[in-house]
Amino acid sequence: MKQTPVIYATNTSGKRLLWIVRPELPADVYQSRATHCTVHGDALYVLLQSDTQASQSLSQTLLRVVKLNASLGTVQFQKDVEVPASYSAWVDKGAARFVWNGNRLVINGNSRLASDPDRLQNFTVRLNSDLEPKGSKP
């Protein structure tokens, strides 16, 4: 079944829906899912993991972060996460894999290299609040 991401917020008791958003999918993807989220200031950051094809053996997994206004659910912007030299990248379950550390969003995951697709490698990407890589000017 084709997956489509849905992001929503409820009140603290979880009994009342505050807002719901269906983020825009990246171009040329078969399916996508919202897998991780974290709050920083007045923004909610959500990780989308998108597959390019239905067949997992042929598919690439692409990463994108969506920044939303945490109170209203309005999408402020989205940005693809670039994992250097990777063919496919993904982030396993666990809150520690998508977390704020100081003033950086830290994403820890796995990737397959473009030069050697059978070899798995760990990666860490650090982004600022505007989703720019560490060291980039906003």
Side-chain angles (χ1 to χ4, degrees), residues 23-106:
E24 181 180 314
L25 294 180
D28 301 323
V29 300
Y30 171 74
Q31 65 182 3
S32 186
R33 59 211 164 273
T35 60
H36 296 73
C37 67
T38 187
V39 174
H40 184 69
D42 63 350
L44 174 68
Y45 294 81
V46 177
L47 179 66
L48 299 183
Q49 298 192 62
S50 303
D51 301 316
T52 58
Q53 297 185 42
S55 170
Q56 290 299 311
S57 62
L58 301 173
S59 185
Q60 288 177 273
T61 300
L62 308 174
L63 305 178
R64 174 178 279 200
V65 177
V66 180
K67 181 179 179 181
L68 303 104
N69 177 294
S71 299
L72 305 173
T74 53
V75 175
Q76 295 176 338
F77 55 89
Q78 302 184 49
K79 181 143 182 156
D80 294 332
V81 176
E82 293 188 28
V83 179
S86 75
Y87 168 77
S88 186
W90 64 96
V91 178
D92 291 329
K93 292 180 183 179
R97 297 184 173 275
F98 189 77
V99 65
W100 281 93
N101 185 353
N103 61 353
R104 298 286 176 202
L105 175 60
V106 181

